[in-house]
Amino acid sequence: MTTWSRWWRLGAMLLGLGLLAAAVVHAIRGLKWPADAQLAPLPLLAIAALVVANLLLTTRLWWQITRALDAQPAVKLSTMWHLVAASELLGYIPLAGWAGRAVYLRARHGVPLARSPLGLGIVMGLTVAAAGALLAGLLVGAGAGRWAMLVAALSVLTVLSVPILRRLVPRPAADVWSWLPLKALDLAAHGARLGLAMAVLCHGIGAMDAALAAAAGVVVRLMRITPAGLGLREWAIGLAMVQTAGAPAAVALAAALIDRAVETVIVLIVGHVGLWRLRWKTVGADDAPAPSRPRA
């Protein structure tokens, strides 16, 4: 590792921690405790369950994308679950989560390192497309019209995405049509997490507003500026909820922090299990080291 790289990683970590601390201070100063919060266990457990749902949806999406990136031998869905869980945990180290997953797929499944950024770019594009569908729904006045517009926009974008994605990936993928709906479900689950966090703080938020705020947080995290989007994600979610839903800034930031806290606990658990499984699991037919082949 070069000296510049070390300083970059340290700077990214300090930036994330500084932004996170600023969010905490702003939230604490702006909230009226305990009138603005009811830390009931049931909503927090529901958020935890939705974090697991997000990990499962992410696993499914990355499994499908990795198959289209011509992984040889194919990656088991269970292996991808452990890999996603481990990379989420390692994501708190700058670039380690993404880089670790790329190295593992290269060593064990023959996916060239040059193709891993392609997978990340596809996920980023799917997130932006799903956010665009949500924004289209929000532009409609209110009521059933919003949901009709959301479904229509998502359907059109899914149809348009199929030929684009098929041209991007090196291997034909029959399930490419499902990638955008999977990402939309992922954002819906994350939006539900934010809705529950707002409920904990005795404030309501519309489902589309919450999902769009979740999309803002996911995009910021995928940019890999700070480890796991630390600090930046909280501010992106908070600002999005202020702009789209008119939520008080302190409440919006507090909801993002509650969501982060619950997510971190779940990631610490499943991430360590994933690391252990990837390290100690028995090598099978689908997980044997990939045979050498020309680099792409």
Side-chain angles (χ1 to χ4, degrees):
M1 185 188 300
T2 65
T3 302
W4 183 90
S5 179
R6 291 192 186 96
W7 280 109
W8 186 90
R9 293 189 179 203
L10 178 61
M13 178 65 78
L14 291 176
L15 173 63
L17 291 174
L19 289 171
L20 189 68
V24 170
V25 170
H26 191 81
I28 291 176
R29 287 181 175 178
L31 288 177
K32 298 177 181 178
W33 300 89
D36 283 342
Q38 294 178 347
L39 295 180
L42 191 57
L44 297 177
L45 289 174
I47 294 173
L50 286 167
V51 171
V52 176
N54 280 127
L55 291 172
L56 289 170
L57 289 165
T58 300
T59 297
R60 181 72 190 191
L61 180 59
W62 271 105
W63 178 69
Q64 294 182 193
I65 292 174
T66 302
R67 290 171 63 198
L69 295 179
D70 200 20
Q72 296 179 10
V75 185
K76 274 187 176 180
L77 191 56
S78 59
T79 299
M80 184 56 72
W81 161 257
H82 297 311
L83 193 54
V84 165
S87 63
E88 286 292 314
L89 176 61
L90 294 176
Y92 283 90
I93 305 171
L95 294 179
W98 171 78
R101 182 164 57 202
V103 170
Y104 181 91
L105 290 174
R106 173 65 185 91
R108 302 293 292 276
H109 298 278
V111 178
L113 291 176
R115 287 182 183 169
S116 289
L118 172 60
L120 188 63
I122 288 173
V123 173
M124 174 84 75
L126 293 171
T127 304
V128 172
L134 288 166
L135 188 58
L138 286 172
L139 291 176
V140 177
R146 279 190 169 187
W147 294 102
M149 176 60 75
L150 171 61
V151 172
L154 190 60
S155 299
V156 170
L157 288 171
T158 298
V159 171
L160 293 175
S161 71
V162 170
I164 297 172
L165 292 170
R166 283 179 175 167
R167 289 181 65 87
L168 286 174
V169 296
R171 179 181 176 183
D175 56 11
V176 70
W177 63 269
S178 67
W179 295 3
L180 182 53
L182 274 173
K183 175 48 67 176
L185 284 174
D186 180 51
L187 294 184
H190 199 164
R193 287 162 49 181
L194 294 176
L196 286 166
M198 290 289 283
V200 167
L201 297 168
C202 303
H203 284 75
I205 185 173
M208 286 193 192
D209 295 315
L212 191 60
V218 171
V219 169
V220 166
R221 179 167 184 164
L222 287 173
M223 292 171 66
R224 314 282 174 170
I225 298 173
T226 60
L230 199 65
L232 283 176
R233 190 182 85 172
E234 284 68 34
W235 282 100
I237 289 173
L239 290 174
M241 286 199 284
V242 169
Q243 293 298 318
T244 62
V251 174
L253 284 172
L257 290 167
I258 290 172
D259 177 66
R260 168 75 77 176
V262 177
E263 178 188 82
T264 302
V265 171
I266 298 302
V267 167
L268 282 172
I269 297 170
V270 301
H272 279 97
V273 173
L275 283 173
W276 180 82
R277 289 290 297 164
L278 289 173
R279 182 177 179 182
W280 296 107
K281 73 185 189 68
T282 303
V283 174
D286 72 315
D287 288 316
S292 59
R293 62 180 183 182
R295 294 183 180 178

